[in-house]
Amino acid sequence: MNLVVLGAQWGDEGKGKLIDIVSRDADITVRYQGGNNAGHTVVVSNKEYIFHLLPSAILHKGKVCVIGNGVVVDPRALLEEMAALKKRGLNVTPRCLKISDRCHVVMPYHRVLDGLRETKRKNKIGTTGRGIGPCYADKVTRCGIRMVDLLNPKVLKEKLQDNLNEKNEVFNKVFHHKAYSFIGIYNEYLGYGKKLGSYICDTMLYLNKAIGQKKSVLFEGAQGTFLDIDFGTYPFVTSSNSTVGGVCVGSGVAPTKIDKVIACVKAYTTRVGEGPFPTEFSKRLMEEIRTKGNEFGATTGRPRRCGWFDSVLVRYAVIVNGVSDLAIMKLDVLDDLRKIKICTAYRYRGKVYKEFPTDFEVLSHAEPVYEEMDGWMMPTSGIRSYRRLPRNARKYIERLEQLLKVGVKYISIGTKRDEIIVR
Ligand code: IMO
Ligand code: MG
């Protein structure tokens, strides 16, 4: 059985926790897009782990993790993440981690350009500043440097020289930024090639061979549907396909091999960075939920914007990802609320929108149409079976199922591994 877990909102839905749980049944876990802009938090026996590039399943001994070709890899960040795990007693070996030779590499000029481009924009995106956008841009412009190039001094030299010729002019003339020296970057990245060489291989062949041998593969999405470069709230998105299509191009596994798609949603909504957010709370609730849900970015530490559950948004995600099951995360954060709202449509200039609009103006000014429900006003974190959940909590979940036209299979009621209800 090959399974995809992805986010159906704006990222940070709790994918890390769900993957930690479902990856116990998978032989291989694969990241297929994004880079170290992701921040996936897993809590195991009161110890917190945050993963940026490594798949969240790396905590399970004897399993294989793969960084697929669709991921952009910052080797410095990857090595730091591996070193931090080693300090905590977890050795990441080439047997348990495979990195695609086709992954594009985040270079120092990508990270700097990410920040510089933001300064020139009128509407800032609020990126994570990890160089993700510029790295994907180079991939598409066909001047990118790939992991395999770090293993070939001759190819790396030519590609880096070509890049610096162009980039130094842009840095200098457009941004008045100092030029990069070739030799520093060249030696640094050859060094990364030496350190990571034994992890690098053709992961497309590896994965398809494993699938042929009936191994089960779990695909771990990063970001969320509305940060997808095609289907998200463009231009306030990330630079990769975080929707299900990204799995195939980002790993080299065909759609016919995918059995199930599980989408993670929070019981409310959050967003980090800029961009439209119709159901965003006003100040008082924003602070309450942010504190209760500890809504601060796992990558940048920025406070997350919070709002009510938006069923217009998530229904769109259910359609585009062909979602089989939903996982509702952080339900416990709503435990004390007297009233809970669900957005069921938008209104703009007298028109009612039941489907998620593409027009930026509509989306930016859309007024949510809410349905209000009574809260359950009691703690849920200790509950382990669906029927033991308070009646109003079940009503909330069942209403979401009706609106979204898909069943809820997992309900998370806390941060710890065992704080989950499986239906
Ligand atoms: P996980 O995997 C939430 C957001 C950034 C910004 C936009 C573009 O933890 O859910 P980028 O650096 O990707 O060019 O930034 O996307 N963003 C995320 N928001 N969770 C993430 O990952 C995100 N990765 C990127 O805040 O708005
Ligand atoms: Mg995150």
Side-chain angles (χ1 to χ4, degrees), residues 81-237:
E81 211 172 315
M82 288 160 74
L85 275 183
K86 195 168 181 184
K87 268 201 195 139
R88 300 176 78 171
L90 221 140
N91 220 349
V92 180
T93 62
R95 218 203 68 78
C96 69
L97 177 70
K98 321 242 172 244
I99 306 168
S100 168
D101 48 10
R102 289 181 161 80
C103 285
H104 278 252
V105 180
V106 177
M107 306 297 289
Y109 44 80
H110 292 142
R111 290 191 296 259
V112 173
L113 197 57
D114 198 358
L116 291 175
R117 275 198 188 139
E118 285 273 87
T119 62
K120 289 258 179 209
R121 296 176 71 103
K122 184 163 156 266
N123 286 319
K124 303 201 187 318
I125 300 171
T127 72
T128 60
R130 298 296 187 270
I132 306 300
C135 183
Y136 277 116
D138 277 2
K139 171 179 178 173
V140 177
T141 315
R142 294 159 295 181
C143 66
I145 292 173
R146 304 194 293 178
M147 286 309 280
V148 68
D149 302 330
L150 305 186
L151 308 178
N152 187 326
K154 190 167 157 275
V155 175
L156 180 64
K157 185 176 172 200
E158 274 173 19
K159 283 195 167 189
L160 184 60
Q161 272 171 343
D162 244 14
N163 267 289
L164 288 183
N165 278 345
E166 186 200 347
K167 279 175 176 99
N168 277 338
E169 283 211 39
V170 173
F171 269 91
N172 186 341
K173 293 190 179 137
V174 180
F175 299 106
H176 311 293
H177 189 279
K178 68 175 179 1
Y180 282 93
S181 101
F182 165 81
I183 198 70
I185 301 181
Y186 181 67
N187 286 332
E188 182 185 343
Y189 278 73
L190 274 184
Y192 295 145
K194 286 214 173 81
K195 286 195 179 130
L196 292 171
S198 51
Y199 298 85
I200 298 172
C201 62
D202 186 329
T203 53
M204 185 282 279
L205 292 178
Y206 172 80
L207 286 172
N208 281 290
K209 188 171 167 204
I211 291 170
Q213 294 165 342
K214 300 277 174 257
K215 295 248 165 67
S216 61
V217 181
L218 171 65
F219 296 92
E220 169 175 356
Q223 289 82 53
T225 298
F226 295 90
L227 290 172
D228 182 282
I229 186 81
D230 284 276
F231 292 102
T233 44
Y234 193 89
F236 299 95
V237 293

Side-chain angles (χ1 to χ4, degrees), residues 39 206 215 245-246 280-281 336-337 406 408-409:
Y206 172 80
K215 295 248 165 67
E280 190 165 10
F281 289 138
D336 307 325
L337 296 180
V406 63
V408 172
K409 176 149 187 213

